[in-house]
Amino acid sequence: MNIAFQKVAVIGAGAMGRGIAQIAAQAGSQVFLYDTQAEASQKALAAVHQVWDSLLAKGRLDTETVGKYKAQLHTANQLQDLQKCNLIVEAIVERLDIKKSLFIELENLVEETTVLVTNTSSLSVTAIAAALKRPSQFAGYHFFNPVPLMKVVEVIAGLKTSPDVCVRLTEFAKQMGHTPVQANDTPGFIVNHAGRGYGTEALRIVSEGVADFATIDRILKDQVGFKLGPFELFDLTALDVSHPVMESIYNQYYQEPRYRPSVITAQRLAGGVVGKKVGEGFYQYLDGKAIVAPDQAVPDVKEFPPVWVSPRASRRLELLQLLKDLGATIETGASPSPHALTLVAPLGFDVTTVAVVERLDPARTIGIDMLFDDAATKRRVLATNPATRSDMRDAAHALFAKDGKAVSVVRDSGGFITQRVVANIVNIASDMCQQGVCSPKDLDVAVTLGLGYPVGPLALGDKLGPTNVLEVLFNLQTVYGDPRYRPSPWLRRRGAIGLSLLHTED
């Protein structure tokens, strides 16, 4: 196989640099690992050797292959040792001034045909290249930790990057066993940009007192299928990493409301409560395991009231069948009797607004989130309003838990929890396509591989129905009056004519 880059240098011996050096050597390149601290380079080399030795011991590599890999990985003592490299990958501290200084020095050392790339996750590729004499030979090449396991790499074209450079980088990513996705030079590129809706909306929900951290995590895992809840994810990545990225993208987009950070993470970062690595974040950790409060206990209810379902409820027929299966007594009148538990299932609106608009007794009104098909979820979510009686709350909780499915009861919120988070994810992804950040296909591939979402944001929007997502957003905007929820033209137009969000005009 003709390797896209025969000689590769990796600058920075941290976890990211080690990972890139490992997969480049495995692809067949001669790889030179350099760090300003010589000891760091040697430790990184030993760490990669240990990985290969471990795979050998497990029978996943043979002796000949391990020997070949080791022969292709070297350390460099000084920058001058990298003069003959075809590709130099920078994986150092996220500071624009330091990166620019390094690349200016490198450009004066290497040949004119050498490709220089940065592994930055949030800085502008164009800004880093601005002081270079050959910006056409410069690009972004963003890997994710741990590099050998996270099989996606963003190939980012700066304003003056040669298309041929991106072609070669794309081919090399494939040779390293990774999936390349093409991105234009915009804040956060694809993965970090698309991921804004998950954590920031969850933080906003917490700030309104709708539910606690653990409840929100449980709901989003059990209703949507996320592997980690947003607060588990924050604790894993650590706020000293994730909060600056939130601020960076928000400020680079000139305070775009969709990306607004939260005072909650700013305060916790200031207090050093940054996550699992320090034993305390949104959860407390004991021996590396999170201490999680138990789920809400199901109330003991001896006698259930009859149930009346709003004619405007989303998935009303499914909801009525569910109630029948649970053994509820269902009222079919035009309005509820004075003793009935009143159920509403809005999209985007809060329970309070629906109760007022439909002239229902708020003391007996409970909301249920029916955005997803109940059969496809592991948890049901109910919402009270400020006037809901405790006996009605408990009756609803116990009724919907009758078949053993988990139930969470939260306080009133436009769009419950799942609707808010999912609609923001889909909306941000749609607007990225509108901006031309990347293709719809690359966006969904990057997010599923880079963030571990159960399905790409655009495919998720198609699954739920773009018109339903639009309804959630329009109603959230009405409830909160916040431009954060304004629908992207990409979503609005495709929703209006029934077109897939993954559709492109090309």
Side-chain angles (χ1 to χ4, degrees):
M1 180 174 65
N2 184 24
I3 301 300
F5 296 97
Q6 295 292 332
K7 291 186 177 180
V8 177
V10 179
I11 299 178
M16 185 69 75
R18 291 198 307 269
I20 297 170
Q22 177 186 329
I23 64 171
Q26 290 171 184
S29 299
Q30 290 293 323
V31 181
F32 300 86
L33 188 57
Y34 172 77
D35 195 283
T36 53
Q37 302 295 321
E39 286 186 6
S41 299
Q42 292 298 329
K43 287 180 180 178
L45 180 69
V48 176
H49 282 190
Q50 188 175 20
V51 169
W52 288 329
D53 289 338
S54 176
L55 293 173
L56 174 63
K58 294 175 182 177
R60 292 169 61 183
L61 291 177
D62 57 41
T63 303
E64 182 181 352
T65 300
V66 170
K68 178 183 174 184
Y69 288 169
K70 288 182 177 179
Q72 287 166 183
L73 182 59
H74 321 272
T75 59
N77 296 320
Q78 54 188 351
L79 283 181
Q80 284 78 1
D81 296 339
L82 312 180
Q83 282 181 314
K84 299 300 180 182
C85 289
N86 317 117
L87 172 68
I88 299 182
V89 184
E90 166 270 311
I92 62 173
V93 64
E94 282 286 88
R95 277 186 51 184
L96 181 62
D97 57 337
I98 294 177
K99 289 181 188 291
K100 289 178 74 170
S101 176
L102 171 64
F103 282 114
I104 290 170
E105 186 175 358
L106 283 170
E107 191 179 46
N108 290 325
L109 285 174
V110 300
E111 298 175 355
E112 290 188 3
T113 56
T114 299
V115 174
L116 303 177
V117 299
T118 175
N119 184 61
T120 183
S121 61
S122 60
L123 298 176
S124 166
V125 172
T126 300
I128 298 172
L132 298 181
K133 293 176 288 186
R134 299 186 295 276
S136 62
Q137 291 296 107
F138 186 84
Y141 213 30
H142 182 215
F143 293 83
F144 297 82
N145 251 330
V147 176
L149 300 179
M150 298 292 284
K151 298 291 188 178
V152 64
V153 56
E154 295 173 324
V155 180
I156 304 118
L159 198 60
K160 296 182 178 181
T161 303
S162 166
D164 178 65
V165 166
C166 291
V167 170
R168 293 179 67 194
L169 291 171
T170 295
E171 180 60 26
F172 191 47
K174 293 176 182 177
Q175 292 171 344
M176 290 187 287
H178 276 48
T179 299
V181 289
Q182 302 281 339
N184 286 321
D185 186 20
T186 52
F189 312 129
I190 302 176
V191 175
N192 280 328
H193 188 163
R196 292 310 90 210
Y198 194 44
T200 57
E201 191 62 22
L203 286 163
R204 186 176 171 92
I205 291 167
V206 162
S207 73
E208 294 172 19
V210 175
D212 59 30
F213 307 129
T215 298
I216 293 172
D217 280 353
R218 287 186 180 111
I219 288 170
L220 291 170
K221 288 189 295 182
D222 290 350
Q223 283 209 315
V224 190
F226 292 110
K227 293 178 182 177
L228 292 174
F231 300 103
E232 292 174 322
L233 186 60
F234 277 132
D235 275 3
L236 184 64
T237 57
L239 292 184
D240 55 346
V241 174
S242 54
H243 182 79
V245 171
M246 284 191 283
E247 287 192 328
S248 174
I249 292 176
Y250 177 64
N251 288 321
Q252 285 183 76
Y253 268 106
Y254 296 98
Q255 292 75 52
E256 161 59 55
R258 291 190 184 110
Y259 314 128
R260 189 184 300 125
S262 170
V263 68
I264 294 172
T265 49
Q267 184 184 53
R268 285 172 171 264
L269 176 59
V273 185
V274 298
K276 183 177 179 180
K277 68 181 182 181
V278 299
E280 185 179 12
F282 290 104
Y283 297 91
Q284 296 279 341
Y285 292 84
L286 182 62
D287 297 328
K289 293 185 178 180
I291 302 170
V292 184
D295 208 347
Q296 296 169 333
V298 179
D300 183 15
V301 176
K302 304 299 184 185
E303 186 174 348
F304 291 93
V307 181
W308 181 88
V309 178
S310 165
R312 301 183 187 180
S314 59
R315 296 184 187 268
R316 187 171 188 270
L317 293 179
E318 293 175 34
L319 180 54
L320 288 169
Q321 184 60 53
L322 173 60
L323 289 166
K324 183 179 178 181
D325 294 342
L326 293 171
T329 300
I330 302 172
E331 291 190 356
T332 57
S335 60
S337 69
H339 305 291
L341 167 63
T342 304
L343 282 181
V344 297
L347 291 177
F349 279 125
D350 56 353
V351 178
T352 300
T353 298
V354 174
V356 171
V357 170
E358 297 189 22
R359 299 174 182 265
L360 302 173
D361 178 6
R364 295 183 288 119
T365 302
I366 295 278
I368 181 168
D369 189 352
M370 295 293 291
L371 178 65
F372 282 85
D373 179 1
D374 180 75
T377 69
K378 297 179 181 178
R379 180 177 296 269
R380 299 181 181 119
V381 178
L382 307 175
T384 59
N385 67 76
T388 302
R389 294 195 329 236
S390 60
D391 62 322
M392 289 293 171
R393 177 199 65 212
D394 290 349
H397 187 166
L399 174 63
F400 282 104
K402 264 190 172 184
D403 59 357
K405 183 172 282 193
V407 175
S408 291
V409 182
V410 302
R411 295 185 181 91
D412 206 2
S413 163
F416 299 88
I417 290 171
T418 295
Q419 292 179 24
R420 289 178 64 164
V421 173
V422 167
N424 271 274
I425 289 171
V426 174
N427 195 35
I428 287 172
S430 297
D431 212 57
M432 289 172 66
C433 294
Q434 186 69 50
Q435 294 175 37
V437 172
C438 58
S439 71
K441 179 183 175 182
D442 274 4
L443 190 149
D444 268 22
V445 167
V447 170
T448 51
L449 292 177
L451 295 176
Y453 284 10
V455 66
L458 300 173
L460 179 59
D462 282 347
K463 177 183 177 181
L464 295 172
T467 54
N468 288 330
V469 178
L470 276 171
E471 185 174 347
V472 171
L473 290 166
F474 281 132
N475 292 340
L476 282 171
Q477 202 172 8
T478 299
V479 171
Y480 290 104
D482 192 336
R484 172 184 185 84
Y485 302 111
R486 72 193 188 283
S488 165
W490 183 277
L491 173 61
R492 182 170 52 78
R493 291 174 184 137
R494 281 157 182 75
I497 58 179
L499 199 63
S500 165
L501 297 180
L502 284 163
H503 174 81
T504 177
E505 292 84 355
D506 296 333

